[in-house]
Amino acid sequence: GLIEAERQKANPKRYVPPPPDWYAEERLEHRALVLPQAETLPKGRNLKEALVATGAFATEAPRLVAEVRARIRERRLATRNNTVVVMATNFGTIDLVANFACSCRSARVPTASVLVFAADPHSARAVETLGLAAYYDAGLGDLPDQAAKTYGDFAFVRMMWLKVTAVYLVLAAGHSVLFQDADVVWLRNPLDFFAHQADPAVDSYWMDDGARSARYTPFYSNTGFYFLRHNDRTLFFAHRLLLSYDNILAVRSHQHALIMALLDTVAKYGLTVNVLHHATFPQGQVFHHKKSLMQQIVDRQQPAFVFHMCWTAGRVDKLKYLKNMGLWFLKPSCHLDAFTHQRDFANTSLDRPACCHNLPAFFAPNPYVEQLSIASKLRR
């Protein structure tokens, strides 16, 4: 429905609804892409919007790179293997960022390497209150201050731009990047893996998305948790993705556009890729479809570094699922509205010690149960 709504909005006079069976599963199985090839082609409004965004960013980029480099140096964020943990948020997901910070507190993992790129100054102040380094600048672009209501909507796509520019700026500043979405929680320090277990000859590591849709082939990379080792190939890849915002707008998916750029860089320039094992770096597909493995992770029989609550239709489902798993680490007083109504973060009870409860993972605030009577409407 979202794809057809966007097609109609892009060209209402010429829009022709597809046949009733156009998106039937048996037809999708035999297509090269979930979207027809013609629908992946940026055109019209996509080209104009991308040109405005990339043109404005290009003017600001040298100053932004210098500022980000200075912020990383000032806060000593890259002391661990020259790696910065990069996140992007607006105020609509600030409670998820807080939950991440509290997950680190629960796991006794330091957050000294985390830099959160904020879509607005209010979000940046809230992030700093949580004990995380934040960066905001108007030169990052015109960004929404509220969460996406559904996968692929306007706010969702505009925040993809912040995710792209954030990764580019840190790589351009000379550092490796561990990027993650706000709906990731830490169970152990993943920087230990990339410092000691990851092959130093591999340029990039990607969480396994779990989906096996044709448009995600051949790596099935999840773009909510990945590692880019700083070198010429990864910097070029980030630069190429920066120039692919028209693709993101056309397909309404950061993941789809990134995979196209990734394949191109692998084929032409030798970028190397490794996919993280889903048992060690699990995500929403494991939660929904691999219940026995999920139970092993909960019982600590299968040690995991992180958990990514993807495979959801929106933030409402994310919170329900995280709470179901005992991976919601915020006290009831630290809900999203409490952050929204707080204007002065100089004197607040919304800092990390006040917001985080002291329960361990999978017992916060309720123990994990396998069966849950809510189902995401998202199809992958």
Side-chain angles (χ1 to χ4, degrees):
L2 178 62
I3 294 171
E4 292 306 316
E6 292 300 325
R7 288 183 65 222
Q8 185 174 15
K9 185 164 57 176
N11 199 336
K13 291 184 179 180
R14 296 187 178 182
Y15 174 73
V16 177
D21 63 342
W22 187 248
Y23 293 104
E25 290 187 12
E26 57 270 20
R27 293 195 64 170
L28 295 178
E29 288 177 358
H30 300 291
R31 292 188 192 173
L33 293 169
V34 170
L35 293 175
Q37 291 285 1
E39 298 299 337
T40 68
L41 177 67
K43 49 187 177 293
R45 203 173 65 176
N46 300 149
L47 295 174
K48 293 177 182 178
E49 187 176 340
L51 189 60
V52 170
T54 53
F57 182 80
T59 302
E60 300 285 353
R63 177 182 63 82
L64 294 175
V65 170
E67 286 189 4
V68 168
R69 183 183 292 117
R71 179 63 57 85
I72 292 170
R73 185 186 308 115
E74 171 194 351
R75 300 290 289 265
R76 298 179 58 81
L77 300 176
T79 57
R80 183 71 188 275
N81 206 34
N82 192 37
T83 300
V84 179
V85 180
V86 174
M87 301 175 67
T89 192
N90 61 14
F91 225 82
T93 54
I94 203 69
D95 56 341
L96 289 169
V97 176
N99 190 57
F100 158 72
C102 289
S103 78
C104 295
R105 190 172 190 263
S106 173
R108 295 179 172 80
V109 175
T111 55
S113 298
V114 179
L115 178 59
V116 182
F117 284 75
D120 58 89
H122 193 44
S123 297
R125 290 192 294 270
V127 168
E128 291 283 353
T129 301
L130 294 167
L132 305 175
Y135 179 77
Y136 165 76
D137 191 280
L140 293 170
D142 180 20
L143 299 164
D145 60 0
Q146 296 300 315
K149 294 180 180 179
T150 188
Y151 183 93
D153 70 9
F154 172 80
F156 183 93
V157 175
R158 283 302 294 161
M159 284 302 292
M160 298 304 99
W161 174 248
L162 183 59
K163 295 180 181 184
V164 170
T165 55
V167 169
Y168 171 80
L169 289 171
V170 174
L171 277 170
H175 305 286
S176 298
V177 170
L178 174 57
F179 176 82
Q180 66 171 51
D181 281 343
D183 56 353
V184 172
V185 298
W186 283 11
L187 308 172
R188 291 188 286 160
N189 194 340
L191 292 176
D192 291 342
F193 174 87
F194 296 108
H196 303 301
Q197 295 176 244
D199 186 342
V202 175
D203 298 323
S204 65
Y205 280 81
W206 302 83
M207 178 174 276
D208 183 350
D209 184 80
R212 291 300 180 259
S213 306
R215 65 173 173 165
Y216 297 151
T217 55
F219 304 119
Y220 306 104
S221 310
N222 182 284
T223 51
F225 187 90
Y226 62 89
F227 174 78
L228 297 176
R229 196 179 308 281
H230 177 263
N231 57 40
D232 289 341
R233 290 180 296 276
T234 55
L235 181 56
F236 174 81
F237 165 69
H239 175 80
R240 182 61 69 203
L241 186 60
L242 185 70
L243 300 179
S244 300
Y245 188 51
D246 51 358
N247 285 115
I248 296 174
L249 291 168
V251 300
R252 318 300 291 178
S253 167
H254 172 247
Q255 184 176 13
H256 191 173
L258 184 148
I259 288 173
M260 289 192 282
L262 181 64
L263 290 175
D264 188 63
T265 312
V266 168
K268 293 180 180 177
Y269 305 103
L271 180 79
T272 52
V273 171
N274 201 322
V275 179
L276 299 164
H277 197 280
H278 65 268
T280 315
F281 292 87
Q283 28 60 19
Q285 190 263 356
V286 172
F287 171 76
H288 287 297
H289 299 293
K290 298 183 184 297
K291 291 297 185 181
S292 62
L293 173 58
M294 192 70 234
Q295 189 65 59
Q296 292 175 41
I297 294 170
V298 170
D299 294 339
R300 308 286 182 171
Q301 297 172 1
Q302 171 57 58
F305 281 98
V306 305
F307 182 85
H308 180 199
M309 193 65 260
C310 54
W311 279 64
T312 61
R315 71 177 309 279
V316 173
D317 278 10
K318 287 183 190 297
L319 268 61
K320 289 179 180 178
Y321 294 144
L322 286 167
K323 290 175 181 178
N324 165 244
M325 279 188 290
L327 293 179
W328 191 250
F329 298 89
L330 297 184
K331 294 178 180 177
S333 58
C334 293
H335 49 82
L336 182 59
D337 286 344
F339 283 99
T340 302
H341 296 143
Q342 181 73 44
R343 292 299 172 186
D344 179 15
F345 285 98
N347 298 296
T348 179
S349 60
L350 295 174
D351 58 8
R352 204 185 321 185
C355 275
C356 305
H357 59 60
N358 296 317
L359 294 175
F362 306 117
F363 288 92
N366 303 304
Y368 168 72
V369 293
E370 280 196 17
Q371 301 302 321
L372 192 62
S373 61
I374 55 176
S376 172
K377 297 177 182 178
L378 179 66
R379 297 181 64 86
R380 307 282 295 197

